[in-house]
Amino acid sequence: MLESIRKRARTGKVTLDLPAGDLPTPFRGMPVIADAFRSANVAEECSRVCATEAIDPEKKTIDLGRCVFCGLCEEACDGEGIRFSQDPRLPCGKREHLVLGGREFPTVKAAPDLRSLLGRSLHLREVSAGGCNGCDLEAQALGNPIFDLQRFGIDFVASPRHADGLLVTGPVSKNMREALVKTYEAIAEPRIVIAIGACAASGGIFRGSYAVENGVGAVLPVALFIPGCPPHPLTLLYGILGFLGRSPEKNPRR
Ligand code: SF4
């Protein structure tokens, strides 16, 4: 017992305060789109190397709902058009809010009556709907002492009967569709659906496969999309807290 207390004292506090610093490599954060991307052939050059067709060379946009943050576009244009920062705060919200064209998007928040109903508590049932489990691992990391999701009153629960909503990962394989819908229906209304990662937003690298539904939006009404492949736990925290109107920039502990 004494040894445990000594060890605890030696370790000190490991929990990150919010707002936190930059993402560690190899994670990539918010892409910075330079003016060069909107002119000349830079968007075209970037789109040629993008395996997920996240870049639209005509509209000069990058769809973070499809982007897997591989960084090949940045390499292709030597960072002249797109450069990935280490900023974990990515745009989160409705599906269309993930498409960046250099414009600013409003932060999407839950409706005031839902926020007031939830108060300071949010319980989520996680469903892994056919992805690689990368997003699941990052979501589970939220519970460790570094990110300590529970300090915000947010937690994962085992039963949908105890949940306020679903957190879904993966492109929704055809085999998982029924299980996902049944889990959703077992949650009392009002219920929210949060889709995390490129697969849950668009099908990701599985998009177009005969075996998937190309994202959670094709099956359930999604209230919040959080991009990434996978999203870092900090991106998840910023996304969920922002949605609940508890932006960490303003008041980290509320
Ligand atoms: S980082 Fe995203 S947009 Fe760039 S090439 Fe990779 S998937 Fe495409």
Side-chain angles (χ1 to χ4, degrees), residues 2-248:
L2 267 180
E3 185 46 38
S4 300
I5 295 170
R6 270 195 216 106
K7 196 171 170 191
R8 181 71 196 265
R10 275 198 303 271
T11 307
K13 181 189 165 204
V14 294
T15 306
L16 282 178
D17 284 324
L18 294 184
D22 285 346
L23 293 179
T25 50
F27 278 92
R28 292 185 176 87
M30 180 69 179
V32 179
I33 301 177
D35 285 342
F37 184 73
R38 293 180 210 101
S39 60
N41 301 322
V42 179
E44 179 68 45
E45 215 173 297
C46 293
S47 76
R48 252 184 261 130
V49 297
C50 181
T52 60
E53 298 174 333
I55 295 172
D56 185 330
E58 302 294 320
K59 294 183 184 155
K60 313 274 191 288
T61 55
I62 169 169
D63 182 355
L64 294 188
R66 289 187 184 179
C67 177
V68 293
F69 293 75
C70 66
L72 288 179
C73 52
E74 182 176 354
E75 270 176 38
C77 69
D78 285 330
E80 276 180 33
I82 296 176
R83 187 180 51 76
F84 283 88
S85 73
Q86 297 304 116
D87 188 344
R89 288 163 297 187
L90 293 170
C92 305
K94 297 284 175 202
R95 182 66 186 84
E96 62 270 22
H97 296 141
L98 273 46
V99 182
L100 298 185
R103 288 172 291 140
E104 291 292 323
F105 290 101
T107 308
V108 173
K109 288 184 191 162
D113 53 341
L114 177 61
R115 276 190 277 147
S116 130
L117 185 71
L118 292 171
R120 291 170 184 233
S121 155
L122 174 66
H123 289 87
L124 296 168
R125 172 70 162 89
E126 190 190 347
V127 175
S128 177
C132 69
N133 294 134
C135 292
D136 302 301
L137 291 173
E138 300 304 331
Q140 290 312 306
L142 286 170
N144 72 26
I146 296 172
F147 303 106
D148 192 14
L149 185 70
Q150 288 176 327
R151 71 183 139 152
F152 301 107
I154 307 169
D155 208 354
F156 292 102
V157 290
S159 167
R161 297 287 186 207
H162 303 154
D164 304 302
L166 278 180
L167 184 132
V168 190
T169 65
V172 188
S173 59
K174 302 268 186 203
N175 286 343
M176 273 302 292
R177 183 189 173 110
E178 190 182 345
L180 178 62
V181 172
K182 280 187 174 171
T183 310
Y184 173 74
E185 286 171 351
I187 299 172
E189 290 187 21
R191 49 202 168 193
I192 59 169
V193 178
I194 300 174
I196 69 166
C199 291
S202 66
I205 58 168
F206 305 106
R207 189 167 59 93
S209 159
Y210 70 93
V212 302
E213 301 285 357
N214 294 330
V216 185
V219 181
L220 297 177
V222 178
L224 179 70
F225 286 97
I226 302 179
C229 188
H232 189 275
L234 279 177
T235 302
L236 296 173
L237 265 182
Y238 282 121
I240 296 171
L241 290 176
F243 179 69
L244 296 173
R246 294 159 62 186
S247 173

